[in-house]
């Protein structure tokens, strides 16, 4: 199943559709402006700048479901991203990415790229696993997005290729992106 036909709203309040990005390689990411991973905006922008001419689109979806780390409205989020990180990749209106009100796009993403656990060989993965095991063990059993800056790589046909957890940097996606371009 492809993801090419979901109705969306841009961060500026305009209508959009994922079909607008047909035939592109996509990185879809849930974002937040007050998160320990917020600096990943820079890495995402760098990927976008490096590969947009070859067909890459980075699509950012602000979300306030993880520790209240995206409290601003859409205008505040947009300004923050432009001023602090020079973001010019497409941003969309704040949405839910997990739970009963999760946008259907993120429901499909998590179904097609389920949670495979944290990489315990990486220090950040081990820390995340420990945090969830100690505080939210039930979350380790679900496919839900675990935190801000979970990234999904989509091929040109709209198929979900891979999921990258929050602590995995945008740079870590580079080789996989290049294979799809």
């Amino acid at each position: 199943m492809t993801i090419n036909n979901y109705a969306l709203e841009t961060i500026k309040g305009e209508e959009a559709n994922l079909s607008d990005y047909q035939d592109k390689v996509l990185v879809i990411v849930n974002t937040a402006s007050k998160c320990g991973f917020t600096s990943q905006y820079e890495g995402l922008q760098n990927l976008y700048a490096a590969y947009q001419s070859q067909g890459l689109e980075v699509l950012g979806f602000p979300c306030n479901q993880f520790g209240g780390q995206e409290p601003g409205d859409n205008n505040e989020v947009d300004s923050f991203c432009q001023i602090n990180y020079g973001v010019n990749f497409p941003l969309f209106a704040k949405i839910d990415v997990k739970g009963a009100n999760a946008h259907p796009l993120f429901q499909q993403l998590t179904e097609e790229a389920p949670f495979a656990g944290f990489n315990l060989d990486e220090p950040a993965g081990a820390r995340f696993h420990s945090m969830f095991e100690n505080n939210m063990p039930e979350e380790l059993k679900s496919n839900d997005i675990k935190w801000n800056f979970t990234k999904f790589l989509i091929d040109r046909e709209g198929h979900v290729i891979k999921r990258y957890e929050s602590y995995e940097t945008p740079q870590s996606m580079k080789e996989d992106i290049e294979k799809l371009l």
Side-chain angles (χ1 to χ4, degrees):
M1 186 172 182
T2 66
I3 62 155
N4 288 332
N5 199 25
Y6 284 106
L8 304 169
E9 180 184 339
T10 71
I11 202 152
K12 305 264 191 213
E14 300 163 352
E15 290 183 21
N17 195 296
L18 268 184
S19 64
D20 299 340
Y21 303 98
Q22 196 166 346
D23 300 323
K24 302 282 186 176
V25 172
L26 304 178
V27 172
I28 297 175
V29 55
N30 65 300
T31 62
S33 300
K34 300 193 182 309
C35 176
F37 296 112
T38 299
S39 64
Q40 286 191 23
Y41 272 125
E42 181 177 4
L44 292 165
Q45 180 60 38
N46 289 341
L47 286 176
Y48 185 64
Y51 297 111
Q52 182 192 19
S53 65
Q54 296 174 50
L56 177 72
E57 291 288 343
V58 175
L59 308 179
F61 291 85
C63 176
N64 195 39
Q65 289 185 285
F66 303 97
Q69 295 178 344
E70 190 58 274
D73 64 24
N74 288 331
N75 289 331
E76 291 169 324
V77 172
D78 191 31
S79 293
F80 173 87
C81 290
Q82 288 180 24
I83 291 167
N84 293 287
Y85 296 100
V87 167
N88 66 353
F89 58 79
L91 293 172
F92 294 86
K94 285 173 65 171
I95 61 168
D96 284 351
V97 299
K98 67 180 246 176
N101 295 320
H103 189 283
L105 168 62
F106 280 87
Q107 291 175 9
Q108 183 177 347
L109 290 171
T110 56
E111 286 173 18
E112 293 190 22
F115 177 63
F118 297 115
N119 183 347
L120 301 179
D121 294 330
E122 291 186 27
R127 283 192 303 274
F128 253 72
H129 181 82
S130 178
M131 178 184 79
F132 277 87
E133 190 172 59
N134 292 329
N135 301 307
M136 303 171 272
E138 69 286 350
E139 286 288 321
L140 291 171
K141 298 173 187 166
S142 80
N143 289 326
D144 284 343
I145 290 176
K146 305 302 179 217
W147 206 254
N148 303 308
F149 290 91
T150 300
K151 297 159 286 292
F152 295 88
L153 183 60
I154 315 300
D155 70 13
R156 290 182 188 269
E157 289 76 43
H159 299 105
V160 182
I161 300 301
K162 190 170 179 181
R163 174 178 175 157
Y164 304 82
E165 296 304 326
S166 301
Y167 60 88
E168 295 178 273
T169 66
Q171 182 68 21
S172 72
M173 304 173 71
K174 187 176 177 182
E175 185 177 322
D176 293 332
I177 289 169
E178 288 175 348
K179 288 177 188 174
L180 296 177
L181 294 172

